[in-house]
Amino acid sequence: METSGNYSNMTHYDGNKLAADYRSELMTIYIWPFVFVVICTVFGVIGNTMVLYVYVFHWEKCKSRVFFITLATLNFVNSAFNMPIETLVLWTPLEYDHHWLCKTSRGMSFLVNDTCVTLFISIAIDRLLIVYKPFTRRLLTVRYAKICSVTCILLGAASAWPGFVFYGTATVFEEINGVNVTGQTCYLSDRLMSKVTWPKLFSMILFVLTIIAFLVIIVMYILIGRKIYHVTRNSSFSRKSKQNVGSIVKSFNFKSFTRSSLKSKDSSQNEVVQNKTLKQNKNTEQKSKTDQYMRRVSGTNFQASRDNTITLLLVTMTFIVSFAPYITLVTLRYMDEEFYHNLNKSGRIAYHVFLRFYFLNSTISPFIFEFTNRRFREKVKHLFWTRWRKQTVVQVSRSTV
């Protein structure tokens, strides 16, 4: 809900009938973001509960697991706490008066989002170490990942605390059918509206830091992608070269064997044995170097590392894309105080939907795990299949008793 400049003809309606009439008119706008947030809430709670269940109870301890659990926990808090309160705000656009609940939800929103940004930077650094410094990364333990996660939460809290202070019950002005109506909602609290400089400064600092963080993350993943591309290309070239060298060696051995047939039988057999031994030694040495190189690139397991990297990359990019509309609209709102009130009805619907578009990240992330991480998908299928079989056996046993 937005505030605007001073109105010369401000009217406040206390009658239940009139309030209901104006609420129904406003709901033609707010019903769209309301439905959007409700859908995000349902799928976010279900999806993140599934992710937490799999990684907490059915996944071996490793560094990536800690990052996944931290992300899923943040997304679950967003889905189970912040989103339901947002639906309440949208359902009562002129009658929301829960000051401390508003403070808590807005502060938690900033905390979750700021922590996600710092956590995505930590994850990108971890993926960078896997590619460029694999031995250094292997020396880092699960405790390192836990320390990173806790540090990210503390940094998020340090940058988000003004959100707990600035927001609360606010008086807002809405123009409905040519009549200016006042109401209450969850926004910058009334006592701060006279000193709006501090909220603007807070938003400006967060905006700059978020843009810098996004650029750093994008650059790091570009470096990771380039390295993986070169490694994959070199590995493919190495396999082709190995096959060509093998065919040449075979042809050479055949000709050498033909020429050496003029010599004595013993010397010929000794030469063949020496050539075979030399070839085996070269192949063994080459395979050893290749295996060592792949271990350096992947850390422990190439397939698992690649799946985790792709998953984390898509989750990070989803967060950036879903957060971009919020940053854009907040910037426009502070640059032009009349921005919202100059919009028509369709524009206001789009405004309120895209202002809450960052909720989409908490909803989509679990499904990214499902479609991009093969091991996660297999574990989910196994868990559901096992549970279904147990229920089937119980039902059959009860029916036969």
Side-chain angles (χ1 to χ4, degrees), residues 58-72:
H58 299 278
W59 206 273
E60 66 276 6
K61 292 183 179 181
C62 60
K63 292 182 282 291
S64 297
R65 171 179 176 267
V66 176
F67 291 128
F68 286 142
I69 290 176
T70 306
L71 277 176

Side-chain angles (χ1 to χ4, degrees), residues 140-203:
L140 301 175
T141 62
V142 175
R143 187 169 178 266
Y144 146 79
K146 292 181 179 179
I147 292 175
C148 282
S149 299
V150 173
T151 303
C152 290
I153 295 174
L154 294 177
L155 290 174
S159 61
W161 68 265
F164 290 93
V165 178
F166 293 158
Y167 288 83
T169 299
T171 302
V172 291
F173 311 130
E174 282 285 349
E175 183 178 347
I176 306 174
N177 296 332
V179 179
N180 298 320
V181 182
T182 63
Q184 290 180 317
T185 189
C186 180
Y187 190 58
L188 296 174
S189 60
D190 288 336
R191 67 184 184 86
L192 280 172
M193 290 308 297
S194 59
K195 301 178 181 179
V196 75
T197 303
W198 290 110
K200 283 186 177 181
L201 181 62
F202 169 62
S203 298

Side-chain angles (χ1 to χ4, degrees), residues 103 127 261:
K103 278 185 173 294
R127 299 293 104 182
S261 62

Side-chain angles (χ1 to χ4, degrees), residues 373-389:
N373 196 306
R374 180 178 53 84
R375 290 185 62 214
F376 178 82
R377 185 166 58 250
E378 290 175 352
K379 284 185 177 293
V380 171
K381 289 181 179 179
H382 175 73
L383 290 172
F384 278 102
W385 173 251
T386 304
R387 185 176 296 274
W388 181 80
R389 288 187 62 185

Side-chain angles (χ1 to χ4, degrees), residues 33-181:
F34 174 82
V35 172
F36 172 75
V37 177
V38 168
I39 293 174
C40 289
T41 302
V42 173
F43 285 98
V45 170
I46 296 174
N48 289 293
T49 300
M50 179 179 63
V51 172
L52 285 172
Y53 179 73
V54 171
Y55 278 102
V56 172
F57 298 106
H58 299 278
W59 206 273
E60 66 276 6
K61 292 183 179 181
C62 60
K63 292 182 282 291
S64 297
R65 171 179 176 267
V66 176
F67 291 128
F68 286 142
I69 290 176
T70 306
L71 277 176
T73 302
L74 294 171
N75 289 331
F76 181 81
V77 171
N78 222 13
S79 302
F81 181 72
N82 293 330
M83 292 186 196
I85 294 178
E86 191 65 24
T87 59
L88 179 61
V89 173
L90 292 169
W91 190 251
T92 56
L94 290 176
E95 303 164 344
Y96 185 90
D97 188 14
H98 305 282
H99 182 72
W100 290 104
L101 190 60
C102 172
K103 278 185 173 294
T104 305
S105 64
R106 289 295 185 262
M108 288 300 297
S109 293
F110 282 109
L111 175 61
V112 169
N113 292 323
D114 294 353
T115 302
C116 282
V117 172
T118 55
L119 189 64
F120 285 136
I121 294 177
S122 298
I123 291 172
I125 294 174
D126 180 70
R127 299 293 104 182
L128 207 64
L129 288 175
I130 289 179
V131 175
Y132 287 94
K133 299 289 183 180
F135 292 119
T136 302
R137 200 263 183 182
R138 290 182 68 181
L139 294 176
L140 301 175
T141 62
V142 175
R143 187 169 178 266
Y144 146 79
K146 292 181 179 179
I147 292 175
C148 282
S149 299
V150 173
T151 303
C152 290
I153 295 174
L154 294 177
L155 290 174
S159 61
W161 68 265
F164 290 93
V165 178
F166 293 158
Y167 288 83
T169 299
T171 302
V172 291
F173 311 130
E174 282 285 349
E175 183 178 347
I176 306 174
N177 296 332
V179 179
N180 298 320
V181 182

Side-chain angles (χ1 to χ4, degrees), residues 214-224:
F214 286 171
L215 291 176
V216 170
I217 292 171
I218 291 172
V219 169
M220 284 194 287
Y221 273 109
I222 289 175
L223 295 175
I224 293 170

